[in-house]
Amino acid sequence: MIATCRIILALMSCVVCTQLFADDRIVHMVNKDIGTYYVDADVDGNTISMLVDTGSAYSVLSSDVVNHLHLKVKEHIVVLLADDRRVRANLYVLPVMTVANCKLRDVEFIVMPSQINILGLTALKKMSPLTIKLGESDMVFDCHNTR
């Protein structure tokens, strides 16, 4: 009987641990416009809203955000925009960006004239594997806080 109780308690604690882990991997996205989803990210102690964009090769931060960070340009690059235009952009590296409980390290990003901050592939791939559940507006990711 005691052994059975210990097994049941052990199984219950595993279920609780699994549930806690699963909840830590989920961030709720806010649907601001039709078909566009945003998450909050912490950048240098400031919470910013970021458009989740799996089609964007780079993450993008507005010049307002970047001006407060005092980062040096890593390199100058040419990026291809969705409308097939090519534009020059400065590439920076953000030492740490936090999304939910996930600390993303060394995230490359560019600065664009738009005031929209974009969570693109340079950040999203650090959260992989990644599942976006549009019906529930949730983003489920795998993060070990070391990426």
Side-chain angles (χ1 to χ4, degrees):
M1 177 71 167
I2 293 174
T4 304
C5 288
R6 285 184 184 157
I7 291 172
I8 291 172
L9 286 173
L11 289 173
M12 287 174 56
S13 67
C14 286
V15 170
V16 170
C17 290
T18 302
Q19 186 61 43
L20 287 174
F21 178 73
D23 290 344
D24 285 348
R25 298 179 334 156
I26 297 173
V27 61
H28 184 72
M29 299 181 298
V30 176
N31 187 353
K32 289 190 177 178
D33 299 313
I34 296 174
T36 58
Y37 291 88
Y38 290 76
V39 296
D40 284 341
D42 181 279
V43 176
D44 197 38
N46 296 305
T47 301
I48 60 171
S49 180
M50 299 192 76
L51 170 69
V52 177
D53 188 351
T54 60
S56 178
Y58 289 95
S59 294
V60 178
L61 292 178
S62 69
S63 56
D64 289 344
V65 172
V66 175
N67 288 339
H68 298 302
L69 298 175
H70 306 293
L71 298 173
K72 293 183 181 179
V73 175
K74 178 182 177 184
E75 63 183 287
H76 305 286
I77 61 172
V78 175
V79 294
L80 179 64
L81 302 180
D83 63 2
D84 283 337
R85 286 184 300 137
R86 294 179 189 276
V87 297
R88 295 173 198 230
N90 292 330
L91 181 69
Y92 296 85
V93 177
L94 188 61
V96 177
M97 171 190 288
T98 305
V99 178
N101 67 326
C102 189
K103 289 187 189 230
L104 309 176
R105 301 186 192 287
D106 301 322
V107 178
E108 290 184 334
F109 69 93
I110 59 174
V111 176
M112 298 298 286
S114 167
Q115 292 303 309
I116 297 174
N117 299 299
I118 298 174
L119 193 66
L121 291 180
T122 54
L124 293 172
K125 68 183 177 183
K126 293 178 179 285
M127 301 169 75
S128 67
L130 176 73
T131 303
I132 295 177
K133 298 179 176 183
L134 296 178
E136 300 168 25
S137 296
D138 287 334
M139 185 167 62
V140 182
F141 55 89
D142 185 16
C143 180
H144 303 291
N145 286 325
T146 59
R147 297 175 179 202

